[in-house]
Amino acid sequence: MALLPPFIRASRTAVSRRPRTVAPHPPLGLPADDEVLLDVPDDRLGPALVAAGRGAYEAAAALLAGTAERAEWEYRDRYVTRLASFARSRPEWFEDWRAAAPQDPDVLLVAAQLAVERAWGSPARAELLREVSPLITAAAQGDHRDPVPWRIALDHARGSNAGHKYFGELWEAAVRRAPHHYGCHVAAKRYLAESWHGSHRECFDFADRAAQDAPAGSLVQALPVRAAFAYLTDGCGPDVPRERLDAAADRAIGLSARFPASDPWTAEIRNLLTYVLVRLDRRADALDQLRLIGPYATSFPWGRLSDDPLGHFLVVRESVCSGGSGEPPGHPRNGHGERAYPADH
């Protein structure tokens, strides 16, 4: 289990972005542009979202109950995030579920995630997030094995400008429940990025220790490549040696190889890895990842570079296939290589 080092907070800076167009032709040997989809749910989440779109919550309730029964915390985290995002635009099904089972641990968990997301984009974010604390506490009390409420608490602490000591206490509580939970590690790395603006070596140290301690098939193996992404899109702070960036990419390539091609579960990691490989001018490796991605583009990281993440992905894909190299077009939307939302998993 990686130990979280001391935290030092610094301010964030804004960065500009440029609009981009969609690639005009499908790259050779890959799905055509019109076959590529954005943020496709897996076979378990998809039916729950379809049912929710029709106003029924039962499928979502069964889905989350099953993840708790089987202690599938990584799936549970991702499903909670997607269901909460869906409830932001289509709240009726969730309000019916909440009315029918107000103390259900799964209802409490989605409610906490939803409340954090709703507060996140407000100018009064810190104040609004402080009002959300009771919801997160209730979610954490629902199932004492579950690390997901603690991931939400870590995101909440970052957004509400919590101090280092308090954040460290949350971190210890999270990793006691699941020492290698990817979402909690991402939340901690993102807090570090804001606490140590420009000090990417410390973020790399944390990510590398976590990956070294985690099993070979754990998603935590992708944490160093997230640190590489943050560094490559930040544009500040001391240089990180090229070999460290390559090592992060190589570790993520090894993780990607453990999963089947055209796999929605690992699509986000492969999209992120593709960005880093292109920035490192490793075109052949980037093309390999594009083949493994198949038709599954993801909002992260491309939504950090453009208001049209799918179009941006296709532009980069076309550039790789046509022999382009170097920096993908566009600039990140904030100073830390992360989307301006509470969590990306």
Side-chain angles (χ1 to χ4, degrees), residues 26 31 68-69 74 110 139 154 168 241 250-251 260-261 268 304 315 318:
E69 290 169 4
E74 300 289 6
V110 176
L154 292 169
D250 290 340
R251 184 181 286 275
E268 183 177 279
R304 287 285 297 107
V315 169
E318 176 72 15

Side-chain angles (χ1 to χ4, degrees), residues 15-20 303-307 330-334:
V15 239
S16 62
R17 61 185 187 272
R18 299 190 299 268
R20 291 288 160 179
R304 287 285 297 107
L305 307 166
S306 169
D307 288 325
H331 294 290
R333 299 187 183 193
N334 63 42

Side-chain angles (χ1 to χ4, degrees), residues 250-275:
D250 290 340
R251 184 181 286 275
I253 288 173
L255 176 65
S256 175
R258 302 179 71 89
F259 293 88
S262 298
D263 175 27
W265 176 250
T266 50
E268 183 177 279
I269 288 172
R270 285 169 170 163
N271 277 253
L272 175 64
L273 174 56
T274 297
Y275 175 92

Side-chain angles (χ1 to χ4, degrees), residues 80 98 104-120 125-144 146-160 162 166 170 173-174 177 342:
V80 163
R98 199 172 187 176
D104 186 323
D106 301 329
V107 169
L108 295 172
L109 194 56
V110 176
Q113 177 69 32
L114 178 60
V116 170
E117 290 189 5
R118 283 174 170 166
W120 201 266
R125 182 178 71 187
E127 179 180 350
L128 292 174
L129 284 174
R130 281 191 283 272
E131 298 173 1
V132 173
S133 294
L135 281 175
I136 300 175
T137 299
Q141 293 171 343
D143 185 340
H144 293 288
D146 188 357
V148 181
W150 297 92
R151 191 272 302 157
I152 297 173
L154 292 169
D155 286 331
H156 175 271
R158 175 168 57 90
S160 57
Y166 176 66
L170 293 177
R177 288 158 173 80

Side-chain angles (χ1 to χ4, degrees), residues 11-178:
S11 61
R12 295 169 60 175
T13 56
V15 239
S16 62
R17 61 185 187 272
R18 299 190 299 268
R20 291 288 160 179
T21 58
V22 177
H25 304 296
L28 183 64
L30 295 171
D33 285 7
D34 59 5
E35 296 175 343
V36 178
L37 306 171
L38 186 69
D39 297 332
V40 173
D42 66 22
D43 291 341
R44 291 197 286 175
L45 177 61
L49 291 175
V50 170
R54 295 171 178 165
Y57 63 81
E58 290 81 2
L63 176 68
L64 291 184
T67 62
E69 290 169 4
R70 296 182 293 271
E72 295 177 332
W73 306 127
E74 300 289 6
Y75 283 97
R76 184 173 177 81
D77 199 355
R78 186 172 299 187
Y79 295 159
V80 163
T81 302
R82 291 292 299 270
L83 289 168
S85 295
F86 191 76
R88 289 186 68 187
S89 57
R90 300 287 296 275
E92 298 83 4
W93 66 275
F94 180 66
E95 293 304 325
D96 289 345
W97 185 16
R98 199 172 187 176
Q103 299 306 314
D104 186 323
D106 301 329
V107 169
L108 295 172
L109 194 56
V110 176
Q113 177 69 32
L114 178 60
V116 170
E117 290 189 5
R118 283 174 170 166
W120 201 266
S122 170
R125 182 178 71 187
E127 179 180 350
L128 292 174
L129 284 174
R130 281 191 283 272
E131 298 173 1
V132 173
S133 294
L135 281 175
I136 300 175
T137 299
Q141 293 171 343
D143 185 340
H144 293 288
R145 305 170 302 153
D146 188 357
V148 181
W150 297 92
R151 191 272 302 157
I152 297 173
L154 292 169
D155 286 331
H156 175 271
R158 175 168 57 90
S160 57
N161 301 319
H164 309 149
K165 183 177 184 295
Y166 176 66
F167 191 91
E169 292 171 353
L170 293 177
W171 166 254
E172 290 297 333
V175 295
R176 277 200 304 270
R177 288 158 173 80

